[in-house]
Amino acid sequence: MANTVIRELKTNKGYLVAIIVAIVVLVLLQRQYWYGEYGHANLEKLQLAVDKQQKLNEEQSYANDILVADIYDLKSGLSAIEEHARLDLGLIKSGEVFIQLSNAPIVYSRQLPETVEETVESVDFVPE
């Protein structure tokens, strides 16, 4: 009986080697799938990067839409040109009064002025 088992192992030796090689190849492929450079382990990192890029693309698309609308306004009418001139270049039409408010914090002095001349500031330039 032992003799027949040894004979069968010798004849099936090719099958046994093929099965072992197939198992090794399968294990190597599974390792590459789960832990390789482009494997399943990096899928979550890639998904986060894709989501971040999509959000950035949406923000840029919104900014582009605003610029396209601004270009259309500039090409179609004078009101947009006037608005840009007022905001960017400080345009003041004739007959308008320009008032500029200061954003500086107010500082109060604890000393009272002794004369009226100290309360009035001297102005070197008066706009026309």
Side-chain angles (χ1 to χ4, degrees), residues 2 26 59 76-77 79 92 94 108 112 125:
L26 183 64
E59 290 172 0
S76 65
S79 63
I92 302 171
S94 60
Y108 294 101
L112 295 174
F125 175 74

Side-chain angles (χ1 to χ4, degrees), residues 42-90:
N42 290 330
L43 180 64
E44 187 173 333
K45 291 178 186 175
L46 290 174
Q47 189 63 40
L48 289 175
V50 167
D51 292 341
K52 183 178 178 182
Q53 187 63 44
Q54 284 179 343
K55 184 178 180 182
L56 180 65
N57 288 350
E58 289 173 3
E59 290 172 0
Q60 289 298 317
S61 176
Y62 178 72
N64 287 345
D65 291 343
I66 290 174
L67 289 174
V68 167
D70 197 21
I71 290 171
Y72 177 76
D73 286 345
L74 287 172
K75 286 182 177 181
S76 65
L78 295 177
S79 63
I81 295 172
E82 182 180 332
E83 179 183 349
H84 276 283
R86 286 180 181 275
L87 294 176
D88 298 338
L89 304 174

